[in-house]
Amino acid sequence: MYVPRPHLPADRRVYNQIQRCSTDLLYSRETEDLTMLYRPLFWTSYWCEDWLASSGYRGGCEYILISSASSKTAFCFAYSVRKRIERGLPKESTSNVRIIGLTSKGNLHFTEKLGLYHEVYDYDSFLSAKPFHTKDKSKPQPRWIYIDVAGNQTLNSKIYTHFASPYSVSKLVAAVSLGMTNLAPGEAKADTIEWTANLENTSENGGGTKPISSSPSLGFWPRTEQFFLPEWLAIRRLQLTPTQMFDAQKEAWGALMQDCPSWVKLEYVYGGEQVQKAYEAMASSSRGLGPDKGWIWSMWDTEAENGVIKAKL
Ligand SMILES: NC(=O)c1ccc[n+]([C@@H]2O[C@H](COP(=O)([O-])OP(=O)(O)OC[C@H]3O[C@@H](n4cnc5c(N)ncnc54)[C@H](OP(=O)(O)O)[C@@H]3O)[C@@H](O)[C@H]2O)c1
Protein backbone atom coordinates (compact mmCIF):
# COMPACT_ATOMS: atom_id res chain seq x y z
CA MET A 1 0.00 0.00 0.00
CA TYR A 2 1.22 3.48 -0.82
CA VAL A 3 0.24 6.87 0.58
CA PRO A 4 0.00 9.26 -2.35
CA ARG A 5 2.55 12.06 -1.90
CA PRO A 6 2.72 13.52 -5.39
CA HIS A 7 4.88 16.45 -4.26
CA LEU A 8 7.82 14.06 -3.75
CA PRO A 9 10.03 12.88 -6.63
CA ALA A 10 9.10 9.48 -8.02
CA ASP A 11 12.21 7.75 -6.63
CA ARG A 12 11.04 8.54 -3.05
CA ARG A 13 8.15 6.14 -3.56
CA VAL A 14 9.69 3.64 -1.17
CA TYR A 15 9.12 6.11 1.68
CA ASN A 16 5.40 6.27 0.93
CA GLN A 17 4.91 2.60 1.57
CA ILE A 18 2.72 1.14 4.29
CA GLN A 19 3.12 -2.54 4.85
CA ARG A 20 0.54 -4.55 6.73
CA CYS A 21 1.99 -7.10 9.13
CA SER A 22 -0.19 -9.80 7.60
CA THR A 23 1.50 -9.38 4.21
CA ASP A 24 5.00 -8.70 5.51
CA LEU A 25 7.10 -11.80 4.90
CA LEU A 26 9.70 -10.65 7.43
CA TYR A 27 7.15 -9.97 10.18
CA SER A 28 6.89 -11.96 13.36
CA ARG A 29 5.00 -11.03 16.53
CA GLU A 30 8.04 -11.86 18.68
CA THR A 31 10.23 -9.32 16.92
CA GLU A 32 7.60 -6.65 16.29
CA ASP A 33 9.14 -4.12 18.69
CA LEU A 34 12.64 -4.61 17.35
CA THR A 35 11.24 -4.28 13.85
CA MET A 36 9.81 -0.86 14.69
CA LEU A 37 13.17 0.21 16.05
CA TYR A 38 15.46 -1.12 13.36
CA ARG A 39 13.65 -1.77 10.10
CA PRO A 40 14.09 1.42 8.00
CA LEU A 41 17.51 2.38 9.21
CA PHE A 42 18.90 -1.13 9.10
CA TRP A 43 18.13 -1.32 5.38
CA THR A 44 19.92 1.97 4.86
CA SER A 45 23.00 0.63 6.65
CA TYR A 46 22.77 -2.77 4.98
CA TRP A 47 22.46 -1.46 1.42
CA CYS A 48 25.02 1.28 1.96
CA GLU A 49 27.52 -1.39 3.01
CA ASP A 50 26.46 -3.44 -0.02
CA TRP A 51 27.08 -0.39 -2.20
CA LEU A 52 30.60 0.10 -0.85
CA ALA A 53 31.33 -3.61 -1.02
CA SER A 54 30.30 -3.65 -4.67
CA SER A 55 33.41 -1.56 -5.36
CA GLY A 56 35.52 -3.84 -3.14
CA TYR A 57 35.50 -1.05 -0.56
CA ARG A 58 36.88 1.30 -3.17
CA GLY A 59 39.69 -0.94 -4.18
CA GLY A 60 40.36 -2.09 -0.61
CA CYS A 61 40.71 -0.17 2.61
CA GLU A 62 42.27 -0.78 5.99
CA TYR A 63 40.01 1.44 8.08
CA ILE A 64 36.36 2.41 8.09
CA LEU A 65 35.73 5.45 10.24
CA ILE A 66 32.12 6.06 11.34
CA SER A 67 30.83 9.17 13.10
CA SER A 68 27.88 9.27 15.49
CA ALA A 69 28.87 5.69 16.20
CA SER A 70 26.26 5.29 18.94
CA SER A 71 23.40 5.87 16.49
CA LYS A 72 21.58 2.82 15.18
CA THR A 73 22.32 3.67 11.55
CA ALA A 74 26.04 3.87 12.36
CA PHE A 75 26.29 0.72 14.42
CA CYS A 76 24.10 -1.25 12.00
CA PHE A 77 26.56 -0.22 9.30
CA ALA A 78 29.46 -1.45 11.47
CA TYR A 79 27.47 -4.65 12.05
CA SER A 80 27.00 -5.14 8.30
CA VAL A 81 30.74 -4.78 7.70
CA ARG A 82 31.36 -7.31 10.47
CA LYS A 83 28.94 -9.77 8.91
CA ARG A 84 30.75 -9.46 5.58
CA ILE A 85 34.11 -10.03 7.27
CA GLU A 86 32.60 -13.10 9.01
CA ARG A 87 31.38 -14.44 5.68
CA GLY A 88 34.94 -13.98 4.43
CA LEU A 89 33.93 -13.31 0.87
CA PRO A 90 37.03 -13.55 -1.29
CA LYS A 91 36.07 -10.78 -3.70
CA GLU A 92 36.44 -7.95 -1.26
CA SER A 93 39.59 -7.33 0.68
CA THR A 94 37.86 -6.91 4.02
CA SER A 95 39.65 -9.34 6.27
CA ASN A 96 41.98 -6.71 7.73
CA VAL A 97 39.50 -3.88 7.88
CA ARG A 98 39.28 -2.19 11.25
CA ILE A 99 36.08 -0.34 12.09
CA ILE A 100 36.64 2.83 14.10
CA GLY A 101 33.72 4.58 15.80
CA LEU A 102 33.62 8.23 16.82
CA THR A 103 31.07 9.36 19.37
CA SER A 104 30.41 11.91 22.09
CA LYS A 105 32.01 11.37 25.52
CA GLY A 106 28.69 10.52 27.15
CA ASN A 107 28.00 7.73 24.65
CA LEU A 108 31.50 6.25 24.62
CA HIS A 109 30.82 3.45 27.08
CA PHE A 110 27.60 2.38 25.34
CA THR A 111 29.31 2.35 21.95
CA GLU A 112 32.29 0.31 23.17
CA LYS A 113 29.98 -2.15 24.91
CA LEU A 114 28.16 -2.90 21.65
CA GLY A 115 31.29 -4.78 20.55
CA LEU A 116 30.67 -3.85 16.91
CA TYR A 117 33.62 -1.49 16.49
CA HIS A 118 37.24 -2.50 16.79
CA GLU A 119 37.96 0.81 18.47
CA VAL A 120 35.86 3.72 19.68
CA TYR A 121 37.06 7.27 20.41
CA ASP A 122 35.36 10.44 21.50
CA TYR A 123 35.09 13.50 19.28
CA ASP A 124 37.56 15.53 21.34
CA SER A 125 40.51 13.17 21.55
CA PHE A 126 40.34 10.80 18.57
CA LEU A 127 43.12 12.49 16.60
CA SER A 128 45.71 11.45 19.18
CA ALA A 129 44.64 7.78 18.95
CA LYS A 130 47.05 5.24 17.52
CA PRO A 131 45.31 4.33 14.21
CA PHE A 132 45.53 7.96 13.10
CA HIS A 133 49.31 7.98 13.46
CA THR A 134 50.56 4.44 13.08
CA LYS A 135 52.70 3.59 10.10
CA ASP A 136 52.42 0.07 8.81
CA LYS A 137 55.45 -1.20 6.93
CA SER A 138 53.38 -3.59 4.81
CA LYS A 139 50.90 -0.84 3.90
CA PRO A 140 52.82 2.36 3.38
CA GLN A 141 49.67 4.45 3.29
CA PRO A 142 46.64 2.82 4.95
CA ARG A 143 43.42 3.62 3.11
CA TRP A 144 40.43 4.95 5.04
CA ILE A 145 36.75 5.29 4.20
CA TYR A 146 34.73 7.79 6.22
CA ILE A 147 31.03 7.19 6.83
CA ASP A 148 29.57 10.38 8.23
CA VAL A 149 26.42 9.87 10.26
CA ALA A 150 26.94 12.94 12.48
CA GLY A 151 26.94 15.60 9.76
CA ASN A 152 28.94 17.86 12.06
CA GLN A 153 30.94 20.42 10.14
CA THR A 154 33.50 21.06 12.89
CA LEU A 155 34.17 17.36 13.26
CA ASN A 156 34.43 16.88 9.51
CA SER A 157 36.89 19.76 9.18
CA LYS A 158 39.07 18.10 11.82
CA ILE A 159 38.96 14.80 9.94
CA TYR A 160 39.62 16.29 6.51
CA THR A 161 42.42 18.51 7.80
CA HIS A 162 44.07 15.50 9.41
CA PHE A 163 44.02 13.46 6.21
CA ALA A 164 45.00 16.42 4.04
CA SER A 165 48.11 17.10 6.11
CA PRO A 166 51.38 16.24 4.35
CA TYR A 167 52.36 14.51 7.61
CA SER A 168 49.35 12.18 7.56
CA VAL A 169 50.38 8.54 7.32
CA SER A 170 46.99 7.58 5.83
CA LYS A 171 44.88 8.30 2.81
CA LEU A 172 41.17 9.07 2.77
CA VAL A 173 39.72 7.35 -0.28
CA ALA A 174 36.00 8.02 0.22
CA ALA A 175 33.75 10.19 2.36
CA VAL A 176 30.10 9.22 2.47
CA SER A 177 27.33 11.20 4.10
CA LEU A 178 24.75 8.89 5.64
CA GLY A 179 23.10 10.97 8.36
CA MET A 180 22.97 14.25 10.21
CA THR A 181 22.44 13.47 13.89
CA ASN A 182 24.42 16.52 15.00
CA LEU A 183 22.62 19.05 12.86
CA ALA A 184 20.80 21.51 15.09
CA PRO A 185 17.51 22.99 13.85
CA GLY A 186 18.10 26.06 11.71
CA GLU A 187 21.72 25.28 10.85
CA ALA A 188 22.49 26.26 7.30
CA LYS A 189 25.13 23.58 6.94
CA ALA A 190 23.15 21.25 4.72
CA ASP A 191 23.21 23.90 2.00
CA THR A 192 27.00 24.01 1.94
CA ILE A 193 27.66 20.32 1.30
CA GLU A 194 28.63 19.39 -2.21
CA TRP A 195 26.56 16.33 -2.89
CA THR A 196 27.14 13.72 -5.51
CA ALA A 197 24.72 10.96 -6.33
CA ASN A 198 25.71 7.44 -5.38
CA LEU A 199 26.69 6.31 -8.81
CA GLU A 200 27.55 2.75 -9.63
CA ASN A 201 30.93 2.93 -7.97
CA THR A 202 33.01 0.55 -9.97
CA SER A 203 36.41 1.40 -11.36
CA GLU A 204 35.41 4.90 -12.36
CA ASN A 205 35.52 6.35 -8.89
CA GLY A 206 37.30 3.45 -7.19
CA GLY A 207 40.21 5.66 -6.19
CA GLY A 208 37.86 8.38 -4.98
CA THR A 209 40.32 11.19 -5.57
CA LYS A 210 38.25 14.01 -6.98
CA PRO A 211 39.01 17.52 -5.80
CA ILE A 212 36.54 19.39 -3.62
CA SER A 213 36.13 22.54 -5.59
CA SER A 214 35.10 24.57 -2.54
CA SER A 215 38.31 23.55 -0.74
CA PRO A 216 41.06 24.02 -3.32
CA SER A 217 43.72 24.30 -0.63
CA LEU A 218 43.14 20.67 0.28
CA GLY A 219 44.27 19.53 -3.16
CA PHE A 220 42.99 16.19 -4.38
CA TRP A 221 40.31 14.88 -2.16
CA PRO A 222 37.36 12.53 -2.20
CA ARG A 223 34.20 14.47 -2.73
CA THR A 224 31.48 13.92 -0.15
CA GLU A 225 29.07 11.39 -1.60
CA GLN A 226 25.54 11.00 -0.35
CA PHE A 227 24.19 7.50 -0.12
CA PHE A 228 20.58 7.43 -1.19
CA LEU A 229 18.91 4.06 -0.79
CA PRO A 230 16.34 4.22 -3.65
CA GLU A 231 19.08 5.04 -6.16
CA TRP A 232 21.19 2.09 -5.17
CA LEU A 233 18.20 -0.27 -5.06
CA ALA A 234 17.30 0.79 -8.59
CA ILE A 235 20.76 -0.38 -9.72
CA ARG A 236 20.64 -3.56 -7.64
CA ARG A 237 17.26 -4.47 -9.16
CA LEU A 238 18.98 -4.65 -12.53
CA GLN A 239 21.77 -6.86 -11.18
CA LEU A 240 19.85 -9.28 -8.93
CA THR A 241 16.63 -11.17 -9.34
CA PRO A 242 13.76 -10.36 -6.94
CA THR A 243 14.32 -13.77 -5.30
CA GLN A 244 18.01 -13.08 -4.78
CA MET A 245 17.22 -9.71 -3.23
CA PHE A 246 14.52 -11.13 -1.00
CA ASP A 247 16.68 -14.04 0.14
CA ALA A 248 19.61 -11.75 0.94
CA GLN A 249 17.34 -9.46 2.96
CA LYS A 250 15.66 -12.35 4.73
CA GLU A 251 18.99 -13.79 5.79
CA ALA A 252 20.32 -10.40 6.93
CA TRP A 253 17.13 -9.59 8.83
CA GLY A 254 17.01 -12.99 10.53
CA ALA A 255 20.62 -12.58 11.67
CA LEU A 256 19.96 -9.06 12.93
CA MET A 257 16.95 -10.18 14.97
CA GLN A 258 19.14 -12.83 16.60
CA ASP A 259 22.02 -10.46 17.30
CA CYS A 260 20.41 -7.14 18.23
CA PRO A 261 18.27 -7.74 21.36
CA SER A 262 21.14 -6.98 23.77
CA TRP A 263 22.19 -3.73 22.07
CA VAL A 264 19.33 -1.41 23.05
CA LYS A 265 16.99 -1.81 26.00
CA LEU A 266 13.33 -1.52 25.09
CA GLU A 267 11.09 0.44 27.43
CA TYR A 268 7.32 0.55 27.11
CA VAL A 269 4.88 3.40 27.62
CA TYR A 270 1.15 2.65 27.42
CA GLY A 271 -1.85 4.92 26.99
CA GLY A 272 -2.32 8.28 25.28
CA GLU A 273 -1.67 10.42 28.38
CA GLN A 274 1.51 8.61 29.34
CA VAL A 275 2.79 8.73 25.78
CA GLN A 276 2.18 12.47 25.66
CA LYS A 277 4.08 12.94 28.94
CA ALA A 278 6.96 10.81 27.70
CA TYR A 279 7.07 12.75 24.45
CA GLU A 280 7.09 16.14 26.19
CA ALA A 281 9.82 15.05 28.60
CA MET A 282 11.99 13.82 25.74
CA ALA A 283 11.37 16.88 23.58
CA SER A 284 12.36 19.26 26.38
CA SER A 285 15.55 17.36 27.22
CA SER A 286 18.69 18.72 25.54
CA ARG A 287 20.11 15.28 24.75
CA GLY A 288 16.90 13.54 23.80
CA LEU A 289 16.86 9.84 24.50
CA GLY A 290 20.08 7.97 25.26
CA PRO A 291 21.30 5.53 22.60
CA ASP A 292 20.93 2.60 25.01
CA LYS A 293 17.14 2.93 25.08
CA GLY A 294 14.39 2.30 22.59
CA TRP A 295 10.90 3.45 23.53
CA ILE A 296 7.87 1.60 22.34
CA TRP A 297 4.87 3.87 22.71
CA SER A 298 1.45 2.33 22.55
CA MET A 299 -1.85 4.20 22.44
CA TRP A 300 -3.52 1.24 24.10
CA ASP A 301 -3.64 1.37 27.90
CA THR A 302 -2.17 -2.06 28.47
CA GLU A 303 -0.10 -4.68 26.79
CA ALA A 304 -2.11 -6.92 24.49
CA GLU A 305 -3.41 -10.10 26.04
CA ASN A 306 -1.74 -13.14 24.53
CA GLY A 307 -0.19 -10.85 21.96
CA VAL A 308 -3.58 -10.13 20.40
CA ILE A 309 -4.86 -6.59 20.02
CA LYS A 310 -8.20 -5.94 18.45
CA ALA A 311 -7.50 -3.43 15.74
CA LYS A 312 -9.44 -0.18 16.07
CA LEU A 313 -8.97 0.74 12.43
N1 LIG B 1 20.47 8.25 4.33
C1 LIG B 1 19.33 7.66 4.72
O1 LIG B 1 18.54 7.18 3.90
C2 LIG B 1 19.07 7.49 6.19
C3 LIG B 1 18.27 6.45 6.67
C4 LIG B 1 18.11 6.27 8.05
C5 LIG B 1 18.69 7.22 8.90
N2 LIG B 1 19.40 8.25 8.38
C6 LIG B 1 19.98 9.28 9.25
O2 LIG B 1 20.93 8.66 10.09
C7 LIG B 1 21.02 9.42 11.30
C8 LIG B 1 20.93 8.46 12.47
O3 LIG B 1 19.61 7.97 12.60
P1 LIG B 1 19.28 6.91 13.76
O4 LIG B 1 17.83 6.65 13.73
O5 LIG B 1 20.25 5.80 13.62
O6 LIG B 1 19.65 7.79 15.04
P2 LIG B 1 19.65 7.38 16.59
O7 LIG B 1 19.88 5.94 16.77
O8 LIG B 1 18.47 8.01 17.22
O9 LIG B 1 20.99 8.18 17.00
C9 LIG B 1 21.04 9.15 17.94
C10 LIG B 1 22.49 9.65 18.05
O10 LIG B 1 22.58 10.97 17.59
C11 LIG B 1 23.60 11.66 18.32
N3 LIG B 1 23.01 12.89 18.85
C12 LIG B 1 23.49 14.14 18.62
N4 LIG B 1 22.72 15.05 19.19
C13 LIG B 1 21.71 14.39 19.82
C14 LIG B 1 20.60 14.81 20.60
N5 LIG B 1 20.36 16.09 20.86
N6 LIG B 1 19.77 13.86 21.08
C15 LIG B 1 19.98 12.55 20.83
N7 LIG B 1 21.02 12.11 20.08
C16 LIG B 1 21.90 13.01 19.59
C17 LIG B 1 24.11 10.68 19.36
O11 LIG B 1 25.24 10.02 18.75
P3 LIG B 1 26.77 10.37 19.02
O12 LIG B 1 26.92 10.80 20.43
O13 LIG B 1 27.44 9.05 18.73
O14 LIG B 1 27.09 11.42 17.99
C18 LIG B 1 22.96 9.68 19.47
O15 LIG B 1 23.35 8.41 19.90
C19 LIG B 1 19.90 10.46 11.24
O16 LIG B 1 20.45 11.70 10.86
C20 LIG B 1 18.98 9.92 10.18
O17 LIG B 1 18.25 10.93 9.53
C21 LIG B 1 19.62 8.40 7.06
Side-chain angles (χ1 to χ4, degrees):
M1 264 170 57
Y2 286 88
V3 180
R5 294 199 292 175
H7 55 290
L8 295 181
D11 64 0
R12 269 67 170 177
R13 189 166 187 264
V14 66
Y15 297 115
N16 299 343
Q17 195 178 7
I18 293 177
Q19 179 134 38
R20 289 195 181 277
C21 299
S22 58
T23 59
D24 178 357
L25 297 173
L26 298 180
Y27 174 82
S28 91
R29 175 67 185 96
E30 294 69 44
T31 57
E32 185 178 84
D33 300 337
L34 292 169
T35 301
M36 288 193 280
L37 200 61
Y38 285 104
R39 174 77 66 92
L41 51 95
F42 176 69
W43 292 130
T44 299
S45 311
Y46 173 85
W47 287 110
C48 181
E49 192 279 334
D50 176 76
W51 170 62
L52 279 173
S54 74
S55 67
Y57 288 163
R58 301 302 164 87
C61 72
E62 280 71 45
Y63 291 98
I64 295 182
L65 180 67
I66 310 176
S67 66
S68 216
S70 67
S71 71
K72 286 173 278 300
T73 302
F75 68 69
C76 284
F77 183 89
Y79 170 76
S80 300
V81 175
R82 288 238 170 204
K83 294 306 267 186
R84 188 173 298 276
I85 295 172
E86 266 175 35
R87 292 199 299 276
L89 297 181
K91 196 179 137 212
E92 294 91 15
S93 47
T94 58
S95 56
N96 293 321
V97 171
R98 295 192 68 75
I99 312 165
I100 312 281
L102 300 182
T103 186
S104 43
K105 277 202 181 89
N107 292 335
L108 193 66
H109 177 64
F110 164 79
T111 312
E112 286 170 337
K113 218 173 67 168
L114 287 168
L116 297 170
Y117 298 92
H118 292 101
E119 282 147 77
V120 183
Y121 302 107
D122 70 67
Y123 294 134
D124 296 333
S125 63
F126 71 95
L127 281 179
S128 53
K130 217 171 145 194
F132 291 85
H133 299 283
T134 308
K135 277 194 177 169
D136 179 346
K137 282 183 193 138
S138 62
K139 299 266 180 203
Q141 219 188 4
R143 292 162 63 87
W144 290 61
I145 290 177
Y146 175 41
I147 306 294
D148 180 20
V149 184
N152 181 314
Q153 210 163 19
T154 311
L155 171 68
N156 289 347
S157 297
K158 260 181 166 180
I159 292 171
Y160 295 151
T161 305
H162 167 81
F163 284 105
S165 159
Y167 303 108
S168 173
V169 296
S170 318
K171 181 176 178 171
L172 188 64
V173 296
V176 176
S177 173
L178 195 57
M180 291 190 173
T181 60
N182 281 227
L183 196 62
E187 258 183 69
K189 184 229 154 199
D191 297 340
T192 65
I193 294 177
E194 272 198 61
W195 302 114
T196 61
N198 43 278
L199 304 167
E200 195 169 2
N201 55 40
T202 50
S203 55
E204 195 193 323
N205 55 356
T209 51
K210 289 180 183 168
I212 294 178
S213 56
S214 59
S215 315
S217 60
L218 295 180
F220 280 86
W221 200 251
R223 205 175 147 99
T224 304
E225 298 163 65
Q226 185 183 32
F227 176 74
F228 184 49
L229 179 61
E231 282 173 1
W232 181 234
L233 286 184
I235 291 169
R236 274 317 227 172
R237 281 193 191 103
L238 301 175
Q239 299 170 336
L240 302 171
T241 65
T243 309
Q244 282 172 324
M245 284 184 75
F246 176 75
D247 288 349
Q249 294 204 136
K250 190 173 175 212
E251 189 186 333
W253 185 253
L256 179 78
M257 290 297 100
Q258 293 271 318
D259 295 336
C260 77
S262 62
W263 298 342
V264 171
K265 188 171 180 297
L266 297 183
E267 289 181 1
Y268 296 82
V269 179
Y270 292 103
E273 264 180 42
Q274 296 307 318
V275 167
Q276 187 178 345
K277 271 189 199 158
Y279 170 76
E280 284 167 358
M282 187 189 66
S284 62
S285 137
S286 60
R287 283 296 294 170
L289 188 65
D292 55 330
K293 290 197 183 88
W295 275 350
I296 307 295
W297 291 350
S298 169
M299 300 306 276
W300 274 270
D301 292 330
T302 53
E303 172 63 288
E305 277 175 36
N306 306 320
V308 178
I309 289 176
K310 278 193 181 162
K312 292 184 181 176
L313 297 175

